[in-house]
C-alpha cells in the first residue's frame, strides 16, 4: 500500500507538470487489482482523498479494472464505480474479452471505455484474417457509445485495420516502447 502511494504521488506530479505546459491534456490510467476492491467503500474514499490531497483533477484520472474485478463483491463494486464516476473519474475495462463476466454488466456499469486485449490484436494477420473478435469488440463499443482502445499494436497493418473499423485509440510498440519520464518529456512534451 505504501509503495502504491509513493508511485502514485510521483506520477500524479509528473502528469500535472506535463498538463501545465501542454495544450492537449494527458490522462493517467491506473490499473486496479481485484484485491484493492475487497472493501470498495474504503477504496473510493482513499482515491478521492489522494486526488484531493495532491490537487489532481479527477478528469485526468482513469481507473482500469479487469472483468474479474466485477466478480468480487459485485454489488458493492458497482456502487463504488458509480461513486467514482460521479466524482469525475473515467473507468475502463482492461483486457476486455479475456474474462468471464456477463455482457449484461456492460449496461449496468458506469464505464467509459473497453480496452481490447493485446492477444486479439496480435491475432490479426496482414490479410486481416483472425480479426473477428477485435472487430466485434469495436462494434460492441460503438453500439454502447463507449470509447475503445486497442492494446499491443505492433504492426502498421494492425493499425490500418483498427482505423478502418473505427477504433478510437491505440497503444503499443508501434507508437512507443515504455519510456522513462525524462525520455517521455523529450519525445512528447518538448516537440
Amino acid at each position: 500500500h505504501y509503495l502504491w502511494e509513493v508511485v502514485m504521488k510521483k506520477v500524479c506530479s509528473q502528469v500535472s507538470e506535463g498538463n501545465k505546459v501542454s495544450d492537449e491534456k494527458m490522462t493517467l490510467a491506473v490499473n486496479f487489482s481485484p484485491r484493492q476492491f475487497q472493501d470498495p467503500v474504503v477504496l473510493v474514499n482513499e482515491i478521492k482523498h489522494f486526488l484531493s490531497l495532491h490537487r489532481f483533477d479527477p478528469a485526468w484520472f482513469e481507473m482500469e479494472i479487469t472483468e474479474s474485478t466485477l466478480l468480487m463483491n459485485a454489488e458493492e463494486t458497482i456502487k463504488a464505480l458509480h461513486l467514482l464516476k460521479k466524482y469525475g473519474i473515467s473507468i475502463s475495462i482492461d483486457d476486455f474479452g479475456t474474462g468471464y463476466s456477463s455482457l449484461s454488466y456492460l449496461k449496468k456499469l458506469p464505464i467509459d471505455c473497453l480496452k481490447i486485449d493485446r492477444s486479439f490484436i496480435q491475432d490479426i494477420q496482414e490479410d486481416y484474417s483472425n480479426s473477428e473478435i477485435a472487430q466485434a469488440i469495436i462494434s460492441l463499443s460503438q453500439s454502447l457509445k463507449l470509447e475503445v482502445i486497442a492494446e499491443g499494436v505492433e504492426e502498421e497493418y494492425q493499425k490500418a485495420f483498427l482505423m478502418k473499423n473505427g477504433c478510437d485509440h491505440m497503444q503499443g510498440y508501434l507508437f512507443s516502447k515504455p519510456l522513462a519520464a525524462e525520455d517521455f518529456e523529450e519525445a512528447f512534451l518538448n516537440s
Side-chain angles (χ1 to χ4, degrees):
H1 191 74
Y2 173 75
L3 180 61
W4 186 85
E5 282 193 24
V6 170
V7 172
M8 284 292 295
K9 185 176 176 184
K10 178 78 172 162
V11 78
C12 283
S13 170
Q14 289 171 338
V15 170
S16 292
E17 288 304 309
N19 282 349
K20 284 179 187 171
V21 297
S22 177
D23 293 335
E24 204 170 318
K25 303 301 180 210
M26 292 182 288
T27 56
L28 171 63
V30 179
N31 291 89
F32 285 79
S33 71
R35 188 171 172 203
Q36 288 174 285
F37 273 88
Q38 283 178 333
D39 192 337
V41 175
V42 169
L43 179 64
V44 168
N45 291 334
E46 283 179 350
I47 292 169
K48 289 168 87 171
H49 175 73
F50 183 87
L51 295 181
S52 172
L53 184 67
H54 297 287
R55 295 183 180 91
F56 193 84
D57 189 334
W60 300 343
F61 194 84
E62 179 184 334
M63 170 182 269
E64 292 186 2
I65 59 171
T66 59
E67 292 170 87
S68 59
T69 302
L70 304 172
L71 302 176
M72 281 186 59
N73 203 1
E75 206 170 300
E76 289 299 310
T77 297
I78 290 171
K79 278 186 200 169
L81 294 176
H82 277 285
L83 289 171
L84 291 168
K85 175 82 171 168
K86 193 173 179 183
Y87 184 61
I89 290 171
S90 297
I91 300 163
S92 298
I93 305 283
D94 197 21
D95 304 332
F96 185 76
T98 60
Y100 299 99
S101 68
S102 164
L103 290 178
S104 65
Y105 269 124
L106 292 181
K107 292 197 75 147
K108 294 180 190 173
L109 291 170
I111 57 173
D112 301 280
C113 180
L114 298 179
K115 297 188 82 174
I116 306 171
D117 185 69
R118 68 184 314 278
S119 63
F120 302 127
I121 304 306
Q122 296 300 300
D123 282 348
I124 299 170
Q125 301 300 306
E126 208 157 348
D127 63 359
Y128 296 167
S129 60
N130 292 332
S131 61
E132 297 82 5
I133 293 178
Q135 191 167 12
I137 295 172
I138 293 169
S139 295
L140 177 65
S141 298
Q142 291 168 340
S143 297
L144 294 171
K145 296 180 176 41
L146 299 172
E147 296 259 310
V148 61
I149 300 175
E151 301 178 303
V153 180
E154 295 182 7
E155 306 290 345
E156 283 291 345
Y157 63 81
Q158 293 165 342
K159 176 183 166 188
F161 168 83
L162 292 162
M163 288 178 70
K164 180 179 169 207
N165 284 278
C167 184
D168 298 303
H169 306 284
M170 297 170 225
Q171 63 186 57
Y173 284 1
L174 181 63
F175 309 105
S176 175
K177 289 193 164 48
L179 298 171
E182 305 77 38
D183 297 332
F184 177 81
E185 283 178 32
E186 187 63 38
F188 296 100
L189 298 180
N190 299 331
S191 51

